[in-house]
Amino acid sequence: MACSCRSSGSLRYQGRKAAPGFAAQCRQLTEARRETEWLGSGNADVQQQALKDFARAKQARFTSGFGEPTWRRKYRHEGFRVIGTDRVPEFGTDGGPKLSARTGRQVLGRSVVVHKLNRRWARVKVPGCGWVRFRLNRPELPTAKTFRVTLRNGQWHVAFAVISVPVEAPGTGEVIGIDRDVKITAALSDGRKLNCPQLSVKERAQVCKHQRRAARAPKGSEQKTAEYAKVAKLKAREADRRKDWCEKTSTMLARTYGLVRFEKLNIKNMTRLARGTAGQPGKQVKQKAGLNRAILAQDWGLLRQRTEHKAPGRVEDVPAPYTSLRCSACGWIDKNSRKSQAEFVCSFCGFTCNAETNAATNVAAGQGGIPRPGDQPVPEGWQRPPAVRVSVNLNPPGLESPSLKRGRTSKGIVGEPLPPSY
């Protein structure tokens, strides 16, 4: 009996043709529309845009790291994308008409048909549906080539694909530092404290009430579905409030300050679960889950992202270590200076300030990260407090090292600047 040396991979793809691309799928769609009545009654442009989204998702799996695209779910991924129907002339970067290199004529591009009804309402032409009214959230009409219609929690939304124009710098050259925390969403170096809006006490009570009713309802019943829908509606309202706050705050930062510095935080690692494994279960899993929810409710990442979009090149990240332990007046680093969550009293110069404002001031000055020699200058004329030597046993009882058994201890100096060899 002959044996084959082919690998499993070669046997798997032996005689298998390549998957059809976007052009081949469009040809198959044309044939399917002729054979199927319900498919032919839909708009062809909308169906082709769905195929284009699928092709883009298939290509992105090699670069994004998210793997294969997943199936769209009913009541969750309801929506479609529409391309413009009007042909309008395009203009180049110099402001002049954009000419075709082959014919020499002006290039005509697609544009969405949008009419303004009044200062609050406008209408857009959706293929197959006609004119659809929508609420304006900006004073000017969007000039877009495509738009997407989605359904979320029983409400239809339309989003236009517009390239946002960067906000012009004020020209003052003012630098602002932003320290992010759970208690205070964004503490500015000028003393202001900004908090991301959350649900009110009454709304949180309603969420708990509907969750209890849903838990007591029979499995698969209409009552359970209705109660969970009410919870989702309240959660969506909270998410909309956070997004609106991030948009307004990022616009304010881009218009007011020339350079915006954020405390660099790895939010993905900070919100990692602590449940562990079956062999090594995690500790305080419920407490960590509550902390993760509190961190994600602040929308730190969205505020940083939207500020970068509106002020490109004017946003910097400062390493987070020692920003909350460093005195913004003299540069002294001591963990004992942080008296509480909101109080900072320097153990060297006695400078008193709010802890969040002090950290934001260090971020604005770019003072972050592991300290290096010369990072802590001692002001002239100031008297150094007397050094207090303390003995610290670094090992628990019963695990002393041989040096400690011979009478040696680990000595340190509290309240004295770092030596030059640090």
Side-chain angles (χ1 to χ4, degrees), residues 9 27 36 53-54 98 109 128 217 237 299 303 316 321 329 371 375 378:
R27 290 191 294 268
T36 310
D53 292 342
F54 175 72
K98 187 177 181 180
R237 184 184 304 174
D299 264 355
L303 178 62
E316 296 180 356
D375 283 353
V378 181

Side-chain angles (χ1 to χ4, degrees), residues 245-368:
W245 178 83
C246 289
E247 292 291 339
K248 294 179 179 179
T249 305
S250 59
T251 302
M252 181 270 297
L253 294 174
R255 290 178 178 176
T256 309
Y257 304 100
L259 180 61
V260 183
R261 287 176 173 171
F262 283 88
E263 180 188 16
K264 187 176 182 180
L265 300 174
N266 194 333
I267 304 175
K268 184 177 180 180
N269 291 344
M270 293 175 63
T271 56
R272 183 174 296 175
L273 295 178
R275 57 189 177 188
T277 60
Q280 295 181 352
K283 298 179 180 179
Q284 298 182 344
V285 179
K286 292 185 178 181
Q287 291 83 344
K288 186 62 171 65
L291 178 61
N292 294 347
R293 287 193 296 267
I295 292 176
L296 295 175
Q298 305 301 323
D299 264 355
W300 294 343
L302 183 60
L303 178 62
R304 167 66 175 79
Q305 182 184 36
R306 294 301 295 151
T307 308
E308 174 68 24
H309 292 167
K310 299 176 183 179
R314 297 191 288 122
V315 178
E316 296 180 356
D317 291 323
V318 178
Y322 297 99
T323 53
S324 60
L325 303 180
R326 185 194 301 268
C327 177
S328 58
C330 65
W332 178 255
I333 298 177
D334 187 8
K335 65 178 181 180
N336 296 324
S337 300
R338 186 74 179 263
K339 299 299 181 181
S340 62
Q341 179 68 23
E343 184 181 5
F344 182 88
V345 180
C346 182
S347 60
F348 183 78
C349 65
F351 174 74
T352 304
C353 182
N354 181 270
E356 306 295 339
T357 305
N358 176 76
T361 305
N362 291 327
V363 173
Q367 297 178 351

Side-chain angles (χ1 to χ4, degrees), residues 151-167:
L151 175 63
R152 293 186 302 169
N153 300 313
Q155 295 182 349
W156 289 95
H157 300 264
V158 55
F160 297 91
V162 180
I163 300 177
S164 58
V165 180
V167 179

Side-chain angles (χ1 to χ4, degrees), residues 17 204 239 243 264-265:
K17 297 182 180 179
R204 286 197 296 268
K243 292 179 181 178
K264 187 176 182 180
L265 300 174

Side-chain angles (χ1 to χ4, degrees), residues 8 12 99 125 251 371 393:
S8 59
R12 178 182 179 183
L99 303 179
K125 192 173 183 179
T251 302
N393 191 351

